[in-house]
Amino acid sequence: MKKHSGIISRFNAWRLNKSRSKGNEQIEEHRKELCSGLSGRVLEIGPGTGSNLEYYSNKVTLTGLEPNPHMQKYLNKKARQTGTSIEIITGTSEEIPAADESFDAVVSTLVLCSVESLKKSLSEIKRVLKTGGQFLFIEHVAAPKSTWLRAAQAFLKPFWKWKTDGCHPDRETWKSIEKAGFDHVEIEHFRLSLFLVGPHIMGKAVKANKSS
């Protein structure tokens, strides 16, 4: 996750707040399924303008780690609209400003595509999870190899990264999660009717008990 400042980050915050994309509409039920059953201390990585807030129950004590400070006014507005209490901290997923084993769950939706170091981010997520805690995620990912879509993702990646503030359309994120040292990793692949970023994953990864 990049640290944000200046005109570009202001524009990206405004654009995300104004947009109601086809992809967001298609993914709403997945967001609800991912977030609604949680309780305890929860950290959401890159909550943006608050797309997940309405799905958290009142059993959750929510913290949002948002690298773009210009997102925060929109996030606070959405929190008031949904009646959700959230503590917002500024920082990146590569260096989460929280103590070891601070959270019962960490949530990431459509964020890991744009972090600068996926390996560092997953290591930090695992560090701040309590023993037995869950990392829950929805991410768009690379299309299967040797397909026209995978070729298109690779060809258009430079333009796409510029247009979407660093998003990689062809990351094999599921492989990184499987290799990150979690226990009981569950991943479901599904497809949305979107150009370039239709392939998605949804799942959870549990931090192993110390005795396991």
Side-chain angles (χ1 to χ4, degrees):
M1 298 172 79
K2 298 179 181 178
K3 292 182 179 179
H4 296 253
S5 61
I7 294 174
I8 293 176
S9 60
R10 287 180 184 273
F11 172 75
N12 286 329
W14 174 85
R15 177 178 57 83
L16 184 60
N17 182 62
K18 287 292 185 182
S19 69
R20 181 66 177 178
S21 71
K22 185 178 180 182
N24 283 334
E25 292 173 357
Q26 291 183 52
I27 211 167
E28 288 305 307
E29 285 303 314
H30 296 284
R31 291 182 185 274
K32 183 177 181 180
E33 180 182 349
L34 194 77
C35 301
S36 60
L38 295 176
S39 61
R41 294 198 68 202
V42 175
L43 174 68
E44 182 172 344
I45 302 293
T49 58
S51 296
N52 294 326
L53 292 188
E54 63 189 289
Y55 302 124
Y56 291 110
S57 77
N58 57 12
K59 298 178 181 179
V60 165
T61 301
L62 183 62
T63 300
L65 175 67
E66 179 49 59
N68 184 345
H70 303 293
M71 293 281 189
Q72 295 183 10
K73 66 177 180 180
Y74 302 115
L75 186 56
N76 279 318
K77 181 179 178 180
K78 186 64 177 287
R80 291 192 297 270
Q81 290 172 344
T82 59
T84 306
S85 177
I86 181 171
E87 176 191 6
I88 304 171
I89 56 178
T90 302
T92 71
S93 57
E94 289 88 352
E95 296 182 22
I96 299 175
D100 295 357
E101 302 205 351
S102 298
F103 297 98
D104 298 287
V106 176
V107 172
S108 169
T109 62
L110 308 179
V111 171
L112 297 182
C113 57
S114 59
V115 299
E116 293 187 358
S117 173
L118 186 51
K119 184 176 181 180
K120 286 182 180 179
S121 296
L122 291 170
S123 177
E124 279 289 274
I125 288 169
K126 192 172 67 167
R127 179 185 67 80
V128 301
L129 274 174
K130 294 179 181 179
T131 300
Q134 299 182 90
F135 170 45
L136 300 113
F137 50 88
I138 299 171
E139 300 291 340
H140 73 75
V141 295
K145 291 181 178 180
S146 302
T147 62
W148 72 266
L149 182 55
R150 182 64 172 265
Q153 288 177 332
F155 179 74
L156 293 172
K157 179 164 65 174
F159 168 74
W160 190 263
K161 287 176 64 180
W162 171 80
K163 176 179 179 290
T164 58
D165 200 23
C167 170
H168 296 70
D170 61 346
R171 272 190 172 166
E172 296 180 327
T173 304
W174 70 94
K175 292 185 178 180
S176 296
I177 294 172
E178 290 171 342
K179 294 176 182 177
F182 290 100
D183 196 21
H184 304 301
V185 177
E186 299 178 11
I187 298 177
E188 171 193 354
H189 289 254
F190 64 99
R191 185 81 172 259
L192 301 182
S193 56
L194 299 171
F195 173 68
L196 208 67
V197 291
H200 281 64
I201 58 172
M202 174 177 175
K204 68 177 180 180
V206 181
K207 182 174 179 177
N209 290 320
K210 293 178 179 179
S211 58
S212 63

